[in-house]
Amino acid sequence: MSVAHADDADDYSRPTGETYHAEKALPSGDFYTGQWRDNLPHGHGKYLWTDGCMYVGEWHRGKTMGKGRFSWPSGATYEGDFKNGYMDGKGTYIDSSGDLYRGSWVMNLRHGQGTKSYVNGDCYDGEWRRGLQDGHGRYQWKNENHYIGQWKNGMMNGNGTMIWSNGNRYDGSWEDSAPKGNGTFRWSDGSFYVGVWSKDPKEQNGTYYPSTSTGNFDWQPQQVFYVDLSECVVCTCQRIPVLPSQKMPVWYGSSSEQSSSGNRTKSSERPRRRSVDGRVSNAEMELRNNGSGYLQVDDTESNRSPLGPLRIQPAKKQGQTISKGHKNYDLMLNLQLGIRHSVGRPAPATSLDLKASAFDPKEKLWTKFPSEGSKYTPPHQSCEFKWKDYCPVVFRTLRKLFNVDAADYMLSICGNDALRELSSPGKSGSFFYLTNDDRYMIKTMKKAETKVLIRMLPAYYNHVRACENTLVTKFFGLHCVKLTGTAQKKVRFVIMGNLFCTGHSIHRRFDLKGSSHGRLTTKPESEIDPNTTLKDLDLNFLFRLQKNWFQEFCRQVDKDCEFLEQERIMDYSLLVGLHFRESSCNNSATPTSGARTPTAGDNRPSRGEMDRFLLDASKLASMQLGINMPARVERTVRRSDAENQLVGEPTGEFYDVILYFGVIDILQDYDISKKLEHAYKSMQYDPTSISAVDPKQYSRRFRDFIFRIFVEDT
């Protein structure tokens, strides 16, 4: 990323807001010619870099925005839409080898509908996601073989049809670009083979039906893998070496250094920062460390907020470590011993197609753990206990479906590091435990919740299998510890994924239901910190998603709510976590990543770092709906006369964020207690404002609210 000094005596003699033609030879050797306003490229212009890269097209306040053409010295070109410096919208990219992609882009990635033509004659036309073929698409090889069906991460995956140029075809399931599961292979002469397919001959099973009595009885299904598919190799996409957004200069001497009157600020003045916290006033404020371990808003006369100084406690690791002497230390040891036994126990390879018997509520295993050990269990220092696994085959298969490695799973929960206990954020009275690496959360369960999970387990399994991007909680295991002796105490618990397992600090978190009664945090302003879970009436942001993400989000929320409604579930929430990518914002309604003056100690990621984050293989793999999602939020304020206004009025203040969100608390069915709660509260409060309502009404209200606060970023 280059640094461009735009200072010019002519710039200060012109009125603020005037657009004129300029030619700028920059100290770095770069050159710009085109329209110019307020010390920034604005309008149509050409920028030449010293390494041979060139951009010709539209600019907006120092960033490529609109139609444009970017070319690389290698001969590669991109022509199409730009947004905030990124290739974003509709565009055509031709790489140095001659491969051509024409279609949708989101933040430098092929994402949406698009066509890729390869120089070797192959062609793909279909859906893309995060730079790879993903969704429904058609791939045709130069020899006229073609595949039509589902894709995942650049490979044929799901239901699809392969048709060879000789007339043979395969219809069925695919995994990693090979037949896997149920499928039918047909020959052009009418013969066909029906069965279960696998590269492992031991798992292959089926029946051959010849069209005549002289059929090819010597044929083996493995020939499809090693002969028929040998020439059906999917071409990969050449990586873009340098992204246009990485080349965007940071403009020093820009209008961000001018006051509202148009005069230069004194070089000795500290640049102002706007607080990323939406709970404060609209006035510009400066955060500084006041020596007490808190960040405090500058309270000078010109900056004074009507709410008083804002104190933001730095983020700390949640929970209390369970060490020896803790009241739940023995329970933690029992839990770790049980998990190690369950996951480490030898088991046959499981297919994703489970039998109905695997979901039987009676499908559970009891194991006794005496202190001195046994033939199957190790000696331990805790008291004697019994361990129960509910539906072990189902949860083992769910872990496989969620790509959880058994060794990593055991290491996270049963390693040398102790668990951390959290206080319950809700009214359930459950205890929550976090693994030391933050990957898994363990929640103690009431008997009623356990019954609900077991009852809905078949539908849950089918839902998460069908919906790769489901937002509902991921469950990895359901267990019970029964203490022996006089107490005979039973502790049931479920192991879930932790939504906020991330290297980013979560600066704000919200638990959102779409109801207003009791949906305001009771903490005073001074005690709110990054670990405080705020509620509906605390929400002061609109979440703006890129078009493709927004469309996918709407589809998935609808699917998840329909599933929960069918299972008679209510009282669930959307848990949202925000990581603010930067802590300053200009006064206009443009994105905060625009022209700005870098400040000492500013640790926000640069655009180049953000690009590397988005394109790094490991980060890219983890970036999905609700996880590591780059987005923008717009701050809102509520009218003073609308006490229970759920959605505030937009203010035009935008912040770049990374979002994390998911649907939690999905084990509350509409039982007799909730029906009584609804009847009782309906007599005291507005029936539409309370949480306890019929699942159908709850789903409708929840979706209406979510689709008001999540909007498309236009």
Side-chain angles (χ1 to χ4, degrees):
M1 183 180 294
S2 56
V3 175
H5 294 265
D7 294 344
D8 193 309
D10 184 51
D11 296 330
Y12 303 115
S13 64
R14 293 179 180 271
T16 301
E18 180 185 350
T19 301
Y20 61 97
H21 181 83
E23 293 186 354
K24 301 287 182 180
L26 305 170
S28 62
D30 297 348
F31 180 79
Y32 173 82
T33 176
Q35 291 178 294
W36 192 264
R37 188 173 78 182
D38 295 340
N39 296 335
L40 293 170
H42 188 84
H44 191 275
K46 178 194 291 187
Y47 195 106
L48 298 169
W49 284 267
T50 55
D51 62 3
C53 291
M54 180 175 70
Y55 172 80
V56 180
E58 296 173 346
W59 294 76
H60 183 80
R61 298 185 180 180
K63 297 190 297 294
T64 54
M65 181 89 76
K67 300 289 184 182
R69 186 178 190 274
F70 194 97
S71 58
W72 288 260
S74 64
T77 61
Y78 169 84
E79 187 165 0
D81 296 331
F82 285 82
K83 185 175 181 182
N84 299 329
Y86 294 95
M87 299 181 289
D88 197 304
K90 300 291 184 183
T92 300
Y93 175 75
I94 305 175
D95 66 25
S96 57
S97 69
D99 290 350
L100 181 148
Y101 171 83
R102 180 180 287 111
S104 295
W105 296 77
V106 173
M107 295 186 77
N108 296 327
L109 299 174
R110 301 169 184 86
H111 193 98
Q113 195 71 25
T115 301
K116 176 84 173 180
S117 301
Y118 301 89
V119 290
N120 69 351
D122 292 359
C123 180
Y124 171 83
D125 182 15
E127 294 177 289
W128 296 74
R129 187 172 300 161
R130 300 189 293 274
L132 297 170
Q133 297 96 328
D134 203 308
H136 189 272
R138 183 182 193 273
Y139 193 104
Q140 180 160 326
W141 286 264
K142 60 182 177 181
N143 58 11
E144 297 188 357
N145 296 345
H146 62 274
Y147 169 86
I148 304 172
Q150 294 299 310
W151 293 74
K152 182 179 177 182
N153 294 331
M155 292 188 285
M156 297 174 279
N157 202 305
N159 291 322
T161 299
M162 173 72 77
I163 301 175
W164 283 265
S165 56
N166 62 8
N168 296 347
R169 63 184 289 160
Y170 169 84
D171 299 271
S173 297
W174 294 75
E175 187 176 293
D176 297 339
S177 292
K180 177 74 172 179
N182 295 317
T184 302
F185 188 91
R186 301 176 187 274
W187 285 264
S188 56
D189 65 1
S191 303
F192 62 95
Y193 172 91
V194 180
V196 177
W197 293 76
S198 175
K199 280 187 176 181
D200 185 350
K202 296 177 182 178
E203 296 180 1
Q204 182 80 37
N205 183 29
T207 305
Y208 172 63
Y209 297 91
S211 60
T212 65
S213 58
T214 59
N216 184 9
F217 292 96
D218 294 330
W219 177 85
Q220 295 295 325
Q222 295 299 302
Q223 290 179 229
V224 173
F225 297 101
Y226 301 109
V227 179
D228 298 83
L229 290 172
S230 61
E231 295 183 359
C232 298
V233 178
V234 177
C235 293
T236 58
C237 296
Q238 188 182 98
R239 184 172 179 177
I240 302 173
V242 179
L243 299 167
S245 51
Q246 290 176 305
K247 300 292 291 181
M248 288 302 101
V250 175
W251 295 95
Y252 284 11
S254 68
S255 57
S256 62
E257 289 182 331
Q258 297 180 9
S259 66
S260 58
S261 63
N263 298 323
R264 299 284 284 185
T265 57
K266 297 178 181 179
S267 59
S268 60
E269 289 182 2
R270 295 178 61 186
R272 294 274 177 84
R273 286 187 176 183
R274 183 177 299 280
S275 169
V276 299
D277 187 287
R279 298 172 59 84
V280 299
S281 72
N282 289 334
E284 282 195 352
M285 294 172 287
E286 180 184 34
L287 296 177
R288 68 171 184 263
N289 194 306
N290 65 3
S292 63
Y294 291 83
L295 292 175
Q296 180 169 318
V297 176
D298 186 19
D299 197 32
T300 59
E301 188 67 33
S302 59
N303 287 336
R304 187 164 296 148
S305 162
L307 300 177
L310 174 70
R311 289 158 59 87
I312 305 175
Q313 192 173 4
K316 295 179 181 178
K317 208 162 189 176
Q318 286 183 283
Q320 175 189 2
T321 300
I322 303 176
S323 53
K324 199 163 186 176
H326 190 283
K327 63 178 182 178
N328 288 324
Y329 180 72
D330 283 348
L331 178 62
M332 180 190 74
L333 291 182
N334 297 346
L335 186 154
Q336 292 177 322
L337 285 165
I339 294 292
R340 191 179 291 117
H341 172 76
S342 298
V343 179
R345 184 172 54 234
T350 56
S351 166
L352 295 180
D353 298 316
L354 296 178
K355 297 178 180 178
S357 58
F359 297 94
D360 191 326
K362 298 177 183 177
E363 187 70 15
K364 49 196 173 189
L365 294 174
W366 276 106
T367 305
K368 191 174 182 179
F369 280 78
S371 300
E372 65 276 11
S374 69
K375 182 179 179 181
Y376 303 105
T377 63
H380 57 89
Q381 298 177 350
S382 180
C383 58
E384 182 175 311
F385 68 96
K386 286 184 177 180
W387 172 265
K388 182 196 285 187
D389 280 323
Y390 294 91
C391 301
V393 175
V394 177
F395 285 103
R396 190 184 312 124
T397 312
L398 279 171
R399 293 194 293 271
K400 178 182 177 182
L401 193 64
F402 294 139
N403 297 314
V404 174
D405 180 78
D408 290 341
Y409 183 70
M410 277 199 293
L411 192 62
S412 290
I413 301 173
C414 314
N416 294 329
D417 296 313
L419 303 177
R420 305 197 310 278
E421 183 178 80
L422 310 180
S423 58
S424 173
K427 302 175 183 177
S428 66
S430 298
F431 285 97
F432 290 82
Y433 304 94
L434 268 177
T435 57
N436 191 61
D437 59 6
D438 288 334
R439 291 177 66 180
Y440 302 104
M441 182 173 284
I442 301 164
K443 176 191 174 185
T444 60
M445 302 264 283
K446 295 178 180 178
K447 187 175 182 179
E449 289 178 309
T450 305
K451 286 184 175 180
V452 170
L453 179 53
I454 293 173
R455 172 184 62 77
M456 66 185 283
L457 197 53
Y460 172 83
Y461 179 81
N462 291 331
H463 180 73
V464 298
R465 186 180 177 187
C467 301
E468 177 193 0
N469 289 324
T470 182
L471 299 174
V472 299
T473 304
K474 289 181 170 64
F475 295 121
F476 301 115
L478 181 62
H479 312 281
C480 177
V481 169
K482 182 180 180 181
L483 303 178
T484 57
T486 55
Q488 294 285 304
K489 180 183 177 183
K490 282 186 179 180
V491 181
R492 301 170 185 86
F493 55 90
V494 65
I495 301 176
M496 310 175 289
N498 176 22
L499 187 62
F500 297 150
C501 176
T502 167
H504 295 115
S505 299
I506 301 298
H507 297 124
R508 276 291 177 265
R509 57 190 75 201
F510 295 93
D511 181 287
L512 306 172
K513 294 178 182 286
S515 57
S516 58
H517 177 65
R519 301 298 295 164
L520 183 70
T521 185
T522 56
K523 280 189 175 183
E525 186 88 22
S526 59
E527 294 181 16
I528 291 175
D529 61 33
N531 291 331
T532 302
T533 302
L534 303 171
K535 300 179 184 178
D536 300 65
L537 293 178
D538 301 304
L539 180 65
N540 42 21
F541 295 109
L542 292 178
F543 305 102
R544 297 190 169 273
L545 306 182
Q546 293 275 352
K547 180 179 180 180
N548 290 292
W549 282 122
F550 178 70
Q551 292 173 345
E552 192 171 336
F553 171 77
C554 292
R555 284 194 297 267
Q556 195 56 57
V557 168
D558 281 335
K559 289 178 183 178
D560 289 340
C561 286
E562 286 167 7
F563 156 69
L564 294 171
E565 184 181 327
Q566 289 169 4
E567 294 302 307
R568 303 289 294 166
I569 301 297
M570 42 76 67
D571 215 20
Y572 44 88
S573 312
L574 186 74
L575 183 63
V576 183
L578 284 76
H579 168 80
F580 289 92
R581 282 170 48 193
E582 55 185 309
S583 58
S584 63
C585 169
N586 55 31
N587 286 326
S588 66
T590 57
T592 59
S593 54
R596 61 190 296 278
T597 305
T599 61
D602 186 359
N603 61 357
R604 79 177 182 95
S606 68
R607 182 171 300 284
E609 289 170 335
M610 194 59 196
D611 286 329
R612 286 191 289 276
F613 163 77
L614 291 173
L615 291 179
D616 179 84
S618 60
K619 298 289 193 304
L620 186 59
S622 65
M623 190 175 73
Q624 62 189 72
L625 188 67
I627 300 175
N628 281 337
M629 277 186 59
R632 293 197 305 163
V633 294
E634 181 179 5
R635 187 175 156 196
T636 62
V637 293
R638 288 179 175 80
R639 300 192 307 270
S640 58
D641 60 342
E643 184 179 347
N644 290 327
Q645 181 186 3
L646 276 175
V647 183
E649 306 297 329
T651 63
E653 292 180 23
F654 294 84
Y655 303 94
D656 291 330
V657 298
I658 295 174
L659 283 182
Y660 298 82
F661 53 80
V663 179
I664 63 168
D665 296 337
I666 63 170
L667 298 179
Q668 178 61 61
D669 62 352
Y670 196 52
D671 58 11
I672 186 64
S673 65
K674 286 296 178 180
K675 291 176 182 177
L676 290 172
E677 180 184 342
H678 172 77
Y680 174 72
K681 288 187 175 178
S682 294
M683 293 186 291
Q684 296 180 302
Y685 310 102
D686 178 0
T688 62
S689 71
I690 60 178
S691 293
V693 294
D694 174 86
K696 188 171 185 178
Q697 182 183 345
Y698 192 96
S699 172
R700 184 171 59 250
R701 183 181 65 187
F702 178 81
R703 279 187 268 189
D704 288 346
F705 174 62
I706 295 303
F707 294 149
R708 288 175 66 197
I709 61 173
F710 280 82
V711 296
E712 183 181 336
D713 194 4
T714 54

